[in-house]
Amino acid sequence: MLTIFSLDHRHSTVAEREPFVPGEAERRRLGAVTRRVALGQAALLLTCNRIALIPWLGDGRADLPRLEALVDRVLPRTGAAFLRRARRLEGAEAITHLHRVAAGLESQVCGDSQVLGQVRAAYQEALAARTIGPELHRLFQSVLGAGKRVRHETGLGRRAASVGAVAATWLLRQGARRVLLVGAGRTIEEAGRVLVGEDRVVTIVNRRGERGAELAARLGACAAGWEERHSLLGAADAAIVATSAGEPVIMAGPLRQARTSGAGAIRIVDLGVPRNVAAEVAGVPGVELTGLEAFHDSQEGLADRNAADAIVAAAAYRCGSWLALRGARRQAVA
C-alpha cells in the first residue's frame, strides 16, 4: 500500500519544516536502508514547500514499525519527530495526492513550473539508489505522465508560474531597480527571467562562481563573486535569496557594515528552505525581510484548474486500479 508522510505549506510553516530537511549524506542513506524495509521501495521528495517520504508498505500499517526504523536512520536528528508531525496519506488518497503534486495543483503557486522536475528528480534519485520496485515505478510513470499532460494541454503550463517568478513580479511592483539574486538554481532563474530589463540592474552571485556566471550570461544579467554578496546587497534596493545551503548565507553583521549612512530601503525575499537569510537581518535598519510564505498566486484560471483536475483524476484512477489488481494477484499467488 502506498503511504505518504508529508509536511507542506498547507499544514506547516517554513520554520516547522526546515529542521526536517535532510542533508546530502542523509539522503544517500535512504537507498541502503530501504532495501531492507518497506519492501525495498521508497522515495524522498523535496520541493521548496514540501518534504515527503513515499514508501510502499506491502502490509500497510503492519509495516509501520519498520518504517519508523527507516525514518530514524535516514533522518537520525529528527526522524521520530518528523513522523509525529507529518500528515499521513494512504492508498487511493495518497495516489491522487502525488498526481496532484506533480501537476502543480498542490503547489503554493498553482501550476508551479518547477515541481514536475522535482518529482522527476525524486524518482531518478530513488532509481539510482535501487529503491524503486514495480509498484513505485508504475506510480511515478503515471504521476509524471499526468504532470506532462497538464503542462502541455492546459493553460497552467502556459502560465509558467513559480514562486521565484511571483516573488520577482512582487518586487517589480515595489519599484525594484537594483536587484541582487543569490543562488543559481531554477528558482533564481525563474526570478531572473522576470527581473532582467532595460531599466534594471540585476546581479547574480553564487557559491559556485562559474554556474552563477553562466546563468547571468544566459539571462543578460551581471555576475559577481560570492564574497561580494553583502557589499552588493548593501547597495541594492531588492534581493531574492534561494540556495541549497543548509544554513543562512546572508548575515546581519556584514550587511550592517555594508550599509552606508542614508542608504535607502532594501526588500529581501528569502525563498530558501532551510531559510537562507539569518533572522537577525530583519533588525538591520532599512531592511524589509519577506519569507516564502508570503507568495501565493491568484485564484484566476478556474477552467484551467478544472481541466488539470480531470486529467489528474483519470490518471490516478487508472494507476490505483492497476496497483489494486497487482496486489490482488500477489495475494492469490501467496
Side-chain angles (χ1 to χ4, degrees):
M1 179 177 68
L2 178 68
T3 304
I4 297 177
F5 291 83
S6 176
L7 277 178
D8 61 27
H9 66 287
R10 299 183 191 276
H11 303 91
S12 63
T13 65
V14 173
E16 289 170 334
R17 291 194 300 277
E18 62 185 355
F20 302 115
V21 177
E24 290 187 14
E26 292 173 318
R27 293 172 68 175
R28 284 195 295 269
R29 292 193 198 110
L30 180 64
V33 173
T34 53
R35 280 194 288 272
R36 297 192 296 274
V37 295
L39 292 182
Q41 297 191 68
L44 184 65
L45 173 61
L46 301 175
T47 74
C48 63
N49 53 33
R50 176 178 292 98
I51 305 167
L53 181 65
I54 309 168
W56 182 267
L57 301 178
D59 296 327
R61 290 183 178 84
D63 279 335
L64 281 176
R66 288 194 294 165
L67 178 64
E68 291 170 356
L70 160 70
V71 176
D72 278 331
R73 295 187 64 176
V74 175
L75 306 171
R77 298 168 298 157
T78 54
F82 175 79
L83 282 185
R84 287 195 299 269
R85 183 66 182 83
R87 186 170 64 116
R88 188 169 77 195
L89 300 92
E90 299 175 340
E93 182 183 17
I95 292 169
T96 299
H97 177 75
L98 194 56
H99 280 78
R100 289 180 57 82
V101 167
L105 292 170
E106 293 291 329
S107 295
Q108 188 167 326
V109 175
C110 186
D112 191 321
S113 58
Q114 294 179 239
V115 71
L116 184 60
Q118 292 163 335
V119 173
R120 184 180 295 108
Y123 173 56
Q124 292 172 341
E125 189 170 304
L127 279 175
R130 293 182 291 161
T131 62
I132 292 288
E135 287 84 4
L136 285 192
H137 174 75
R138 179 59 180 258
L139 172 69
F140 273 97
Q141 289 299 305
S142 177
V143 161
L144 293 170
K148 287 180 182 177
R149 284 194 60 196
V150 168
R151 300 235 62 78
H152 294 141
E153 299 178 20
T154 76
L156 292 184
R158 292 189 293 275
R159 291 174 64 198
S162 70
V163 171
V166 171
T169 301
W170 178 76
L171 286 178
L172 290 183
R173 290 171 180 162
Q174 308 305 310
R177 290 293 177 265
R178 300 185 308 279
V179 185
L180 178 67
L181 300 180
V182 182
R186 284 292 303 278
T187 298
I188 292 297
E189 181 172 356
E190 296 286 348
R193 292 187 187 283
V194 173
L195 288 166
V196 170
E198 293 182 2
D199 60 342
R200 289 179 292 278
V201 177
V202 178
T203 304
I204 297 175
V205 298
N206 187 55
R207 195 185 298 272
R208 289 173 52 197
E210 68 281 0
R211 185 174 177 185
E214 178 185 328
L215 178 59
R218 194 160 67 244
L219 295 178
C222 303
W226 179 250
E227 68 283 355
E228 299 177 74
R229 63 192 184 280
H230 288 99
S231 60
L232 289 167
L233 184 54
D237 54 34
I240 295 178
V241 188
T243 79
S244 59
E247 65 286 322
V249 299
I250 300 296
M251 309 301 294
L255 178 58
R256 189 176 283 109
Q257 292 177 1
R259 297 273 286 161
T260 59
S261 60
I266 307 175
R267 291 184 172 88
I268 302 177
V269 176
D270 182 0
L271 300 182
V273 181
R275 286 169 290 186
N276 291 166
V277 179
E280 295 78 12
V281 167
V284 176
V287 171
E288 176 186 318
L289 179 59
T290 303
L292 178 66
E293 292 161 325
F295 300 101
H296 298 268
D297 64 341
S298 67
Q299 295 303 307
E300 62 185 11
L302 182 59
D304 292 328
R305 296 179 193 224
N306 288 341
D309 279 333
I311 291 171
V312 162
Y317 176 79
R318 290 192 298 270
C319 181
S321 298
W322 186 92
L323 291 171
L325 181 59
R326 179 175 175 82
R329 287 174 176 170
R330 276 191 167 186
Q331 291 182 350
V333 171

